[in-house]
Amino acid sequence: MGAMTPFWETGRPLWARVRNSLLVAAALTGAMSAGVLVAPYRWAIVPASVVIIVVVAVLYYAFMLTRGPSPVMMFYAAVLGTYFGADPTVGWQMVGVTAFAALLTSVLLLVPLLFAPRGPEERAVAAARRAVADYRLTEAGSQPARLSRNAAYQAVNGARLTLHSAWPATRGQHHQALASDLMATNRALAETVLDRLGADAPATADPGIGATPGRPGWRYLLGHALRGNSVEWFTAWRMGLAAGIAGVISLAVGIGHPYWAILTATIVINQWMDRVTATRRAAHRTIGTLLGVGVVWGVFSLHPGPWWTVAAVVVCMIGQYLLFPLNYALALVAITPMALLAVGPSGGAGVAAITADRFTDTFIGAATAVVVTWGTSWAFPRRLVRSQSARAAAAISAVRRTTSEGASFAPEGRRARVELQYELIHHLSVLDRAVADDPRLADLAPAEHELADQGYAVLGQAWQNHPAGQAA
């Protein structure tokens, strides 16, 4: 479990990698410890798992602003802890193994940065430059232009977060050169936005005016996630609902432990995806698990010793990384034996019971996730779009107000621009996912695109520090 730490480290600078690795190692170990503590109380396994899933999902989707894995790994650690914790000795041994593996992996993750210590920052700034260049090549007013503009703002903001996270190594000449490069890229983005609006070019008197906004405060992010019709809260409670139903059904039909039904339900539904995609994902998981069970039978038929079992797990772990980009079902052919070979010996059951339970739980979890997805996808997408639209409109009004008061670059004005950029980055993403889930919502697109255009215009005008340019 601890070896999964690399999933969280994509594109992070050295010191951010150190801090984040320690945080992830502590979180994985803590989640598995919670599972082990709950394990003796069989009645509490399902409700405790649901609480952990909802809390972790909200926190993940609220604060994970850069690229990272889904929150499933934390669920996996907690729910797996309830399985191993059936034997407290084994359970706490696995907690120790998880902590050691996470820390060892964290150290190994630092090795590539010995050869390119500024590599993550350089790649982030280069990606921002390419995204802005792509946007400048699009035709003004077209849908590709809107999508490219959103991607450009995301890339610029992502690069700003990457540079900021390099602290305390943020004072050297190389870092300052990258920051200047990003500033020029952001200026080019603002120029393009203003030019397509027929507005004046950005003013040059204050080179700090156009500084990329960065990250909203934690109170804003948490408040955004916990509002009734946020995508974060919708995703979290829907996962909790699916996990709870799957766990109860698994117990009701007599499965030895509901952990895999709970995990399957949350894995299928851990993101807001449309009904067809979720159904396809559930089918892939079920078919892949069935094929993976066959692999497990083949391995057990060879009666492998402990070291051969470890070798098989490692091979399966590598195989899942190679197969996942190709096909989800194929990846499950490797994931299933990896999981069963790892936990099978602790369950004390034969291969027939282990594989039968695994497939049955997979079917229960996948079917539950599909039912919950279809049952919640009729009314909620429209609510999510309306809620996000209201948030974006309020953020636009806040920036306009600070501009009219001459406070665009005072702390209040900068904070307003941070929040507006955050809302705009989410805005079209929410609309696109809602339309994919419910095509009837396509009629909302023109108004939402116009609102996004207004928001980006306000951000572009932030570069105009002269009085005439302050008007929104």
Side-chain angles (χ1 to χ4, degrees):
M1 195 70 243
M4 300 293 186
T5 306
F7 282 109
W8 299 78
E9 300 307 319
T10 303
R12 295 183 188 278
L14 173 62
W15 288 104
R17 194 167 294 198
V18 171
R19 292 189 296 268
N20 197 62
S21 294
L22 294 175
L23 177 62
V24 171
L28 287 172
T29 305
M32 184 169 281
S33 298
V36 173
L37 291 172
V38 170
Y41 308 98
R42 186 175 176 81
W43 61 268
I45 291 176
V46 173
S49 298
V50 170
V51 170
I52 291 172
I53 286 168
V54 172
V55 171
V56 170
V58 168
L59 294 177
Y60 175 88
Y61 287 117
F63 297 111
M64 192 71 181
L65 301 188
T66 54
R67 184 180 178 183
S70 74
V72 167
M73 291 177 193
M74 296 300 171
F75 311 159
Y76 199 171
V79 179
L80 203 57
T82 68
Y83 179 82
F84 286 125
D87 182 337
T89 300
V90 172
W92 290 114
Q93 287 176 345
M94 294 308 300
V95 170
V97 169
T98 298
F100 176 77
L103 292 174
L104 176 61
T105 306
S106 299
V107 172
L108 295 176
L109 279 169
L110 302 180
V111 174
L113 296 184
L114 296 177
F115 305 98
R118 293 289 186 180
E121 297 98 309
E122 292 170 351
R123 288 191 293 271
V125 173
R129 194 186 311 117
R130 287 193 302 270
V132 172
D134 290 343
Y135 169 51
R136 300 185 81 172
L137 293 175
T138 59
E139 181 180 352
S142 65
Q143 178 65 4
R146 290 190 175 96
L147 295 176
S148 183
R149 178 190 59 196
N150 201 44
Y153 271 99
Q154 283 183 300
V156 169
N157 198 48
R160 171 66 179 85
L161 293 172
T162 299
L163 291 181
H164 182 73
S165 70
W167 182 89
T170 54
R171 296 185 178 180
Q173 291 184 351
H174 191 78
H175 181 89
Q176 295 304 318
L178 289 172
S180 297
D181 189 355
L182 181 60
M183 178 69 70
T185 300
N186 195 30
R187 177 183 173 83
L189 178 57
E191 286 177 345
T192 306
V193 170
L194 291 173
D195 179 65
R196 295 185 176 188
L197 292 171
D200 295 337
T204 58
D206 181 0
I209 281 179
T212 310
R215 183 187 185 100
W218 70 268
R219 290 185 179 86
Y220 185 89
L221 292 173
L222 189 59
H224 184 284
L226 290 176
R227 60 192 170 90
N229 286 317
S230 71
V231 173
E232 296 88 346
W233 178 240
F234 172 68
T235 305
W237 71 253
R238 200 162 70 152
M239 277 193 290
L241 177 63
I245 294 173
V248 169
I249 293 175
S250 178
L251 291 174
V253 300
I255 299 296
H257 195 286
Y259 87 100
W260 199 254
I262 293 171
L263 280 176
T264 299
T266 55
I267 288 170
V268 171
I269 206 172
N270 76 87
Q271 300 176 36
W272 176 24
M273 60 184 68
D274 63 86
R275 289 164 282 185
V276 174
T277 301
T279 303
R280 184 186 304 115
R281 185 179 180 86
H284 283 180
R285 188 158 193 92
T286 304
I287 295 170
T289 298
L290 180 60
L291 296 175
V293 163
V295 174
V296 173
W297 273 91
V299 172
F300 274 120
S301 69
L302 299 175
H303 306 289
W307 288 109
W308 283 109
T309 301
V310 171
V313 170
V314 172
V315 169
C316 289
M317 184 176 292
I318 295 172
Q320 69 165 328
Y321 295 141
L322 298 176
L323 293 173
F324 197 86
L326 301 177
N327 183 273
Y328 186 54
L330 288 178
L332 263 297
V333 177
I335 293 171
T336 299
M338 179 190 71
L340 286 182
L341 292 172
V343 306
S346 70
V351 61
I354 293 172
T355 54
D357 283 358
R358 176 61 179 267
F359 181 73
T360 305
D361 264 353
T362 297
F363 180 79
I364 291 171
T368 301
V370 170
V371 170
V372 170
T373 298
W374 282 79
T376 58
S377 292
W378 294 101
F380 285 98
R382 184 177 294 272
R383 297 180 188 178
L384 298 178
V385 172
R386 287 176 173 172
S387 178
Q388 180 58 40
S389 182
R391 296 280 301 187
I396 291 171
S397 297
V399 173
R400 284 176 167 163
R401 177 177 55 79
T402 57
T403 297
S404 66
E405 294 172 354
S408 294
F409 309 110
E412 181 185 3
R414 291 183 183 274
R415 184 171 59 252
R417 288 191 291 120
V418 167
E419 294 169 0
L420 173 57
Q421 178 158 308
Y422 175 81
E423 297 297 344
L424 289 175
I425 286 175
H426 286 74
H427 188 69
L428 293 182
S429 173
V430 172
L431 175 65
D432 290 342
R433 284 184 286 176
V435 172
D437 208 6
D438 185 355
R440 296 173 300 174
L441 301 183
D443 61 333
L444 300 178
E448 299 306 322
H449 287 156
E450 182 179 352
L451 183 64
D453 291 345
Q454 294 175 19
Y456 284 116
V458 170
L459 284 180
Q461 289 163 349
W463 285 76
Q464 297 175 308
N465 63 334
H466 51 80
Q470 291 286 337

